[in-house]
Amino acid sequence: MGKGNLSIWCCFLLCLAVVHPLPASAESSHPGAEIDLSHWGLGSPSEIGYLSVGILHKEKGDVLILYDVRREKPVIAEPAIPKSRIPAFDDGIFILDDFQGKNTNRLNGYFNAFSKPPSESKVTIDRMEDDTSGLRFSYRCAPGSYAGFRIQLFDFKATPFNRVFLDATPFKYLTFSVKGETGGEQVRFQVADAVWEKKEDSVQVGEIGAFLPEGKVTRFRQRAWIPLEMIRHDVKRDALANLVFLAGSGKGEIELGDVAFAVHKEVRFPAPSRKTEAAPASRKGLWFWNTEELFGDSLRQNQVLEFCRITRITDLFLQIPYKLKTTGKTIKVEWSPSGLRPILSLFHGSGIRVFALDGAPDFALREKHHQVLAVLDAVIRYNRSANSSERFDGVRYDVEPYLLPNFSGVEKESVMSQYLELLRKIKLAVEKEGLEFGVDIPFWFDGKNEFFEPAADLHGRPLSEWILDIVDNVGIMDYRTEAYGTDGLITHAADELRYAAKNGKTVFVGLETFELPDETMFEFGKGSGDSVIEISSLGKTRVRLRWIASGKPVVKKEGFYLAQTGKTFIPSTKLSFARKSIRDLHDVMKKAGSQFHEFASFRGFAVHYYESYRDLWAKETQR
């Protein structure tokens, strides 16, 4: 039960449209895509032995997005015998986590919720009634499904070969405090060692209530003492991996505190600490794409300004509306600076900084650089001619080169190098103008995929670092709706914030409010799953892929289809706040912000984008 590496490390590729999707037609209800195998270093369909795809469940029908094509699925190296160690502890007790706002425990493990639809599960650090912090687990568990959370006893981000598990042999008890929202909550405790963790499963130990003085979860706090000898003998206590909590049927909520391993029950716990709240970020950004709609419309301009005021926006990323007209080698930028002047003056009058926003995936390619620079030159010339209240404060680029069809294959290094070349050209042009230079990047530019391979490395360094070396600030598209855990905001933004702080750069952490589709991730290879990918040659290295949900493929020749070997559902609520509330958004900002403020580079949050954020805000006022 629960999420494996695929869902945690691969779902960040939701927006990676690296193929040309084919919509369902009257002839076929199977979503498909056309690709060029040369982008993946392959010469013919028969060489394909592994595929990773996403099926986006959109209102008008499913759409196939291709993520990975290989000859075979990589094998992840693992030690024959799991590594483990006994942690340092004093006075007979090792406190694993007191939940004082940190994203990892003292073994570098995370806590993570998991569930199977239609069930739902959420786990977060929260302020409790006694003004201390604890782990809050809320759930809605449907019959025939499951909802729960796990606490990891190892560093999940380490490669399997380098993972170190907990040797708990010196201890006799696992202990923690617990209380319920209503009392009587049914929560089962399970445990996994390194072997069971690899299976993404765990072994039952017993109901939490059985280990409490009252014999059940109550509305007041009790301390559970779970004898480790109750763990099944085939589970290795010298290589424990996960503490797992599974909810019973229905809806409920419990609070957990001070999880520890103890030698005996007479151990003393330190006095609870009370976490001080961090100061809020001083700045907040907002992407605005439909700039032309503001031209000559003072009413709409003031509506946007008022929204920025009530939501405390300080930085507006304003798309530049323009058209390019090419005559021979000459590029003419057709746009309306006169329409921008009153807009910039209005927002500057309220203390809001305005940045000229531009971007498209093909901007990264060298043959497009002269067009990008022509538009930039027009912005620079406009700024020189405008008075101070009408000037842009900087430029911002949302290029997203990973959306190019040749990014994820063998040409990735070339695309990244061309992209960095563009950024250096832009930097050279703007630094003498006193313009701030920012770019938007996905959080995974410094991450790894499900095979622990670098997702976007160039010459041994992550692309995010190369970018931060050039620009003044980045906006991390950290599109998650939970603050904590292996797949939460804090984890994904921490490395960029750390690197930026060392180099005097700043970071906006971006959040999504636009409605995104649910997605099902599939792996295909030699298997016998419910669905298949049909592979048809279109001549030379072009092929067509079709996802067939069930039944036999139309093309039955060997090597022309692959069977499903893995499947993971990713709800849109994991990525966007569109189906959540403004309170959810602000709660995550507060919790993640309390961690981000440890970095001098943290500039604040940025929200994507105006219309969807406005609609989310409006839903709250209508309640």
Side-chain angles (χ1 to χ4, degrees), residues 47-107:
E47 294 181 42
I48 302 175
Y50 171 80
L51 286 169
S52 173
V53 308
I55 302 297
L56 303 182
H57 306 297
K58 296 188 174 182
E59 289 185 7
K60 295 182 179 180
D62 291 340
V63 174
L64 183 147
I65 302 296
L66 180 68
Y67 293 139
D68 202 357
V69 183
R70 307 201 187 207
R71 286 183 170 82
E72 57 185 3
K73 184 175 180 178
V75 177
I76 301 174
E78 297 186 39
I81 301 176
K83 302 174 185 177
S84 64
R85 71 164 62 100
I86 298 171
F89 62 97
D90 296 316
D91 300 324
I93 187 171
F94 169 65
I95 297 180
L96 175 67
D97 206 337
D98 56 6
F99 305 113
Q100 294 305 303
K102 298 295 183 181
N103 196 31
T104 56
N105 56 46
R106 289 178 175 88
L107 295 175

Side-chain angles (χ1 to χ4, degrees), residues 519-559:
E519 179 181 15
T520 304
M521 297 285 300
F522 290 97
E523 287 185 299
F524 294 93
K526 296 179 180 179
S528 57
D530 295 334
S531 66
V532 298
I533 284 285
E534 176 190 279
I535 305 170
S536 304
S537 176
L538 298 177
K540 294 186 178 180
T541 58
R542 297 290 300 178
V543 299
R544 175 183 288 116
L545 307 177
R546 287 203 312 160
W547 176 62
I548 302 175
S550 61
K552 295 293 183 181
V554 176
V555 180
K556 297 182 180 180
K557 295 181 181 179
E558 185 177 355

